[in-house]
Amino acid sequence: MIRLNRFLTWLFAMSVYGLKILNDSYYPDLRRIVDEIVKIVPKEKIQLIHTDEWTSSELSRLREKHELTGAYPKDIERLCCKNLVAQIAEDAKIPHAKTVFLDFRQPINRKEFLNRIILEITKFPMFVKPNRMCGSAGIAKIANMEVLEKWLTERFQEEIPGEYVIQEFIEGEEFGVTVVLLPDGTWKPLIVDFLAGTTYQEAILKGEPLFMAALEFGKAVNGSFPNLREFTQKVIDAFRPQHPQIFCIQAFQELINTS
């Protein structure tokens, strides 16, 4: 019930208050509960665990406020801000979608934005996404120049400007890897999931059914994902997530039988 209430709170904030970034999410009841817990329980015995991305920012702030173990805001940002994710992947030579960061809060003209996008992404279709959001909220598929210009015009007219990224469209199979990050710095694989016949974006934008399948990690490595262990290790090394926690990686496989 608690998780359901948090989800409904997030939906209410999105629809009524125009939440554009998860950093703005705020849970007064959760804050009051944690404030009371730290008064009666030793800090070394408290672990705040977020089971969904919607509460990750708020819980990271509470950990930092009370000096609890776990991920702080700076740790969350590099994993969740899409412009930072793209830069970290670039520095680590991890293949990733071409990405242009658009900050509509800064003074920049429409033509300059358009030129940057065309120069760096080069071709249609493209995807636009809020820079710090989850669950495919706020995404849009940009099919051509007319749609891109219309989308830019709408963003410049917004009462509350936000941050977005625009990325190249990647053909391939979308998959996810879930692992357990252990206290000693190592990790153990849990499961590999993938979609059959569609993507999250297409399912949300077009209302298509979303079919998911899953494999044990070992079977995935011995089957269609032979380089998955090396890929997973490279991502963990590059992004340096906090241990211990459940860590999920989302990616695309452009060619069959590769990572």
Side-chain angles (χ1 to χ4, degrees):
M1 182 61 69
I2 292 175
R3 291 183 62 189
L4 176 60
N5 287 341
R6 291 176 186 170
F7 179 64
L8 293 176
T9 301
W10 177 78
L11 288 179
F12 181 78
M14 280 287 293
S15 60
V16 178
Y17 297 110
L19 183 66
K20 295 177 181 294
I21 180 171
L22 283 184
N23 290 358
D24 294 336
S25 61
Y26 178 70
Y27 300 91
D29 290 342
L30 181 59
R31 289 197 165 201
R32 285 192 289 269
I33 290 171
V34 175
D35 288 345
E36 291 300 316
I37 289 175
V38 296
K39 294 177 183 178
I40 58 177
V41 179
K43 291 183 179 181
E44 63 272 15
K45 294 185 178 181
I46 300 174
Q47 286 193 352
L48 301 181
I49 301 173
H50 62 265
T51 57
D52 54 60
E53 196 171 348
W54 298 298
T55 58
S56 60
S57 292
E58 180 74 322
L59 286 178
S60 70
R61 290 191 292 264
L62 288 171
R63 292 190 197 101
E64 186 172 51
K65 173 185 176 181
H66 295 291
E67 299 180 334
L68 303 174
T69 59
Y72 285 7
K74 61 181 176 58
D75 303 308
I76 297 292
E77 290 298 294
R78 70 171 181 270
L79 296 176
C80 298
C81 288
K82 296 177 180 65
N83 64 322
L84 298 181
V85 169
Q87 187 59 58
I88 292 171
E90 177 75 20
D91 294 342
K93 295 181 171 53
I94 297 172
H96 63 285
K98 296 176 183 177
T99 301
V100 175
F101 175 55
L102 306 175
D103 187 353
F104 290 91
R105 302 170 305 173
Q106 302 299 322
I108 188 171
N109 64 55
R110 182 173 174 275
K111 184 177 180 180
E112 186 174 343
F113 264 160
L114 190 60
N115 288 340
R116 280 184 55 204
I117 294 167
I118 298 304
L119 179 64
E120 297 186 37
I121 306 298
T122 70
K123 64 179 181 179
F124 295 96
M126 306 172 184
F127 267 108
V128 292
K129 309 170 185 177
N131 190 47
R132 179 72 171 88
M133 191 52 77
C134 65
S136 295
I139 68 169
K141 188 175 183 179
I142 306 297
N144 51 47
M145 181 64 74
E146 181 181 356
V147 177
L148 176 58
E149 291 180 338
K150 181 176 183 293
W151 181 84
L152 283 172
T153 299
E154 291 172 349
R155 299 292 78 72
F156 277 109
Q157 293 174 347
E158 286 183 328
E159 183 177 350
I160 303 175
E163 297 178 351
Y164 292 83
V165 294
I166 187 162
Q167 297 178 318
E168 67 174 323
F169 178 78
I170 295 180
E171 297 279 0
E173 183 174 30
E174 189 171 358
F175 70 95
V177 185
T178 303
V179 303
V180 179
L181 303 176
L182 301 175
D184 63 1
T186 61
W187 57 274
K188 296 292 185 182
L190 287 181
I191 199 168
V192 178
D193 62 82
F194 54 93
L195 303 178
T198 186
T199 66
Y200 285 111
Q201 291 86 354
E202 290 298 307
I204 291 171
L205 292 174
K206 296 182 179 180
E208 295 179 357
L210 190 63
F211 297 101
M212 298 192 69
L215 287 173
E216 294 178 359
F217 191 88
K219 291 182 178 179
V221 171
N222 293 327
S224 300
F225 301 90
N227 301 315
L228 189 57
R229 186 173 297 277
E230 293 79 6
F231 172 76
T232 302
Q233 185 65 62
K234 191 170 185 178
V235 171
I236 292 172
D237 291 342
F239 287 90
R240 298 178 290 108
Q242 289 285 310
H243 294 241
Q245 68 167 302
I246 303 294
F247 185 59
C248 302
I249 302 169
Q250 288 181 296
F252 279 89
Q253 185 187 47
E254 291 189 279
L255 300 173
I256 297 175
N257 296 326
T258 68
S259 62

